[in-house]
Each structure stands twice: as C-alpha cells, then as structure tokens.
Amino acid sequence: MAKQTDGVSRRTFLAGAAATGAVAAAGCTSNTGTETDGGLSGDIDISGSSTVFPLSVAMRGEFTAEDVHPNVDISVNSTGSGGGFTNYFCTGDTDFNNASRPITGTEEEQCSGNDVTPVELKVATDAVTVVVNNDASWFGEDGEECITVEQLAEIWSAEGKPTTWSDVNGDWPDEEIKLYGPTDASGTFDYFLEEIIGEEGSHRTDYQSTEQDNQIINGVANSEYAIGYMGYAYYSENTDRVTALGIDNGDGCVKPTLETASGGEYQPLSRPLFTYPAQSALAEEHIAEFARFWLENSTSETIVADEVGYVPNTEEERDEMLDRLESAIEAASE
C-alpha cells in the first residue's frame, strides 16, 4: 500500500502520483474494520476526481499517521469523477467517490440499481484555471494576462473550432492552437462545458486529453501556442512553468486565486469539490471515522489551502456536512 513519503515535497509527490494515475489501484472493496491495539484497522477504497485526488491523499496521510490510525489502509485511484461513479462506486466496488461536480441523475440511477446510496459531502472550493505558455505575450504581460469567457467558448467549442489564434482575434498570432485538457470522464470537463461552452453546446474533441493534470501542465509548458485547463492545485505547484489567465466575465479581468475563488469574484470557474461515501460503507467504524476526520479537517488552512491549494470549507459548511454525515452513519447502522 503506497503512502505519501515523509520529507518529499508536495510538488514532487503530485508529479509522481499524477504520472501513475493513482497512489494505489482501487480494487474490490474488502472492509474488515476492527479495533487493533486500541486503534482502528481495515481497508478503504476511493475512486474519482483527479482534482480532489491530492486532497484525499493529504487527508489519508493525516489519518493513517503513526499516532492516529496506522492500521487503516486507504487506496486512492484517480479515475475522473464520471469514470469513478460509473466504473467503481456505483457498481459497489469502492467506498468513496471523489467528484469535482455533483453526481448526475443517471449516475444516481445506476447507484440505486446496485443498492448504493451516495452521501454528498462538500470538502473544498476550487478555481478551474486556464493556463498558457509563459511566452504567450499576446494575452498581456506583467500579471495582466487575460481572456474573455466568449473567447474561451470559441476556442473550446465544437462549433467553429478555430485552428489558429488569429481566427479568434485578428491581433493574435497566425499560429496553430495546441489544446490540452481533461477527458470527458472528468468532472472538470463537465464543469467547463457547462459554464463556458454552455449546456446546448459541445466540447471539441480534437485536443490532447488526459486524466493526469500534470500532463496538461507539461504540454502547455512545452508549446508556445498551447492552452489548457485544470484544477487550481496543479497550477499552484507550477506557477513558474505556465501562466494563468485572468477571466473576463463581463466585469473586468479576475485572476484565479484562493481569495478570488473564496470571495466569489472568480466567475464562472469557481466550483465546489465533493467526496461521496456510500451510506452502507459507513456502517464500518473505520470508514465512518475517516469521513468524520476529513470533514473535521475540511476547514484546515494548513492541509486544504497550504498543502493542497484549495479553499477550505467555512465552519458553517463543515458543521452542515457533519450533520449530514452523522445522519447517514445512523441510517447505515439501523
């Protein structure tokens, strides 16, 4: 069971974990939660969002520390939000599914058909970040780099599909646009499609797609005429390699930061992040305790903001989620 290594920088950890796609492969759930030497033991399997992946790994590291619950083994697999729901969680093969957007009606129906009841828990807030190469000076310079929502929609929409930057803006280079982004199994893909392109539109498919966000960073960093998007945590660890564009939603340009995401200024790309435990799994004490631990620490500036790069829950959000969790744990035990 792979664990985050003490003394390894978060940048190194994220790069290595993203390269493999998982900290440990998620398999069939085998929960044998027991008390061992006064502590909990058992297995927990987590699938889902690549965006929530580093946060769940950070929480795992805190929970399985030697002085907390070292006998609990937690496997985290980065499958994308939709891939996790469809292929692992709603089939009953994992205990949690991380998601960077809410579960869909179709996914809920699949879960229900397999007697899986998902419990929606908000664990943080993200700023979906649009990045370009550091030499892409046509967007502006000295921290003023900006793009409008309309221009983003034109670039990424299947309708029209501009091939060069000058197709979008005549003052921009007559050079081919290189596009990098998440796969259609990703909640980030779904959110970007809904908020930028619109529900009636379609996301173009002629781009380099991946579930590994660091591959998006690498692609953009290595091509002057590239553009990509991913969760803020991965950008925050690569601020020297790529440039984040501010987004003009009609009220001026706003850069993605934890402050603008928290305050609601960064629109329309601020979004909640979730984990979904299966209600039946919460009957296992070690699984219920991990869910409680995650929520209790969802307000932690140290873990959520400093270590991972997301906006922590407010105390009110934490308490609301804990109440929801406790109701689910009670229902699971009946």
Side-chain angles (χ1 to χ4, degrees):
M1 185 66 59
K3 295 290 192 297
Q4 183 170 352
T5 303
D6 292 340
V8 176
S9 71
R10 181 175 165 269
R11 180 192 299 274
T12 302
F13 168 71
L14 280 179
T20 62
V23 172
C28 295
T29 306
S30 176
N31 300 316
T32 56
T34 59
E35 290 282 347
T36 303
D37 297 328
L40 296 173
S41 69
D43 300 330
I44 302 176
D45 286 324
I46 303 175
S47 55
S49 167
S50 64
T51 302
V52 185
F53 174 78
L55 181 58
S56 60
V57 169
M59 292 298 177
R60 182 190 71 172
E62 297 289 334
F63 187 77
T64 60
E66 286 299 324
D67 58 344
V68 187
H69 298 295
N71 295 314
V72 176
D73 288 324
I74 303 177
S75 164
V76 186
N77 191 19
S78 177
T79 63
S81 301
F85 279 127
T86 300
N87 299 318
Y88 297 97
F89 181 78
C90 290
T91 60
D93 292 321
T94 54
D95 306 299
F96 289 76
N97 197 70
N98 297 327
S100 56
R101 47 79 171 162
I103 190 172
T104 67
T106 300
E107 290 160 350
E108 287 186 307
E109 289 180 7
Q110 182 190 5
C111 280
S112 178
N114 291 311
D115 295 323
V116 175
T117 301
V119 181
E120 184 178 275
L121 303 175
K122 179 178 180 290
V123 291
T125 298
D126 180 29
V128 177
T129 303
V130 179
V131 297
V132 294
N133 187 274
N134 287 340
D135 293 329
S137 58
W138 58 94
F139 292 105
E141 295 181 338
D142 301 324
E144 299 301 321
E145 299 87 355
C146 189
I147 194 168
T148 68
V149 169
E150 291 76 18
Q151 288 167 336
L152 272 181
E154 183 176 356
I155 290 168
W156 286 96
S157 174
E159 290 74 37
K161 294 196 301 186
T163 58
T164 69
W165 287 108
S166 58
D167 290 339
V168 182
N169 183 323
D171 294 329
W172 291 354
D174 186 20
E175 298 285 350
E176 183 181 357
I177 304 171
K178 303 290 186 181
L179 299 108
Y180 296 84
T183 73
D184 60 6
S186 166
T188 304
F189 175 100
D190 293 335
Y191 190 83
F192 192 88
L193 171 63
E194 180 177 345
E195 296 298 329
I196 297 297
I197 300 172
E199 293 182 357
E200 302 304 316
S202 300
H203 192 292
R204 64 192 297 174
T205 58
D206 56 337
Y207 71 102
Q208 294 293 316
S209 63
T210 177
E211 274 304 329
Q212 309 311 319
D213 291 23
N214 272 302
Q215 292 183 15
I216 300 174
I217 294 286
N218 290 337
V220 173
N222 292 325
S223 176
E224 181 179 354
Y225 302 103
I227 187 170
Y229 66 91
M230 80 291 292
Y232 182 82
Y234 290 89
Y235 162 70
S236 70
E237 287 299 318
N238 292 277
T239 56
D240 57 333
R241 300 187 62 212
V242 294
T243 296
L245 295 180
I247 306 298
D248 187 346
N249 194 32
D251 296 317
C253 205
V254 179
K255 285 277 192 173
T257 66
L258 297 184
E259 291 73 25
T260 58
S262 176
E265 293 92 358
Y266 184 67
Q267 294 297 330
L269 292 178
S270 295
R271 57 169 177 174
L273 301 178
F274 306 97
T275 195
Y276 287 80
Q279 180 172 288
S280 59
L282 295 171
E284 300 282 354
E285 185 177 3
H286 66 296
I287 296 177
E289 282 301 316
F290 177 64
R292 287 191 186 102
F293 181 90
W294 191 335
L295 290 181
E296 288 166 355
N297 287 280
S298 67
T299 56
S300 169
E301 291 283 342
T302 300
I303 301 173
V304 182
D306 298 341
E307 183 178 347
V308 181
Y310 294 135
V311 178
N313 279 348
T314 64
E315 291 184 1
E316 291 76 15
E317 289 171 327
R318 176 200 62 197
D319 292 345
E320 179 185 351
M321 293 302 104
L322 280 170
D323 286 344
R324 182 178 299 177
L325 174 63
E326 292 303 333
S327 296
I329 292 171
E330 183 178 349
S333 301
E334 292 177 351

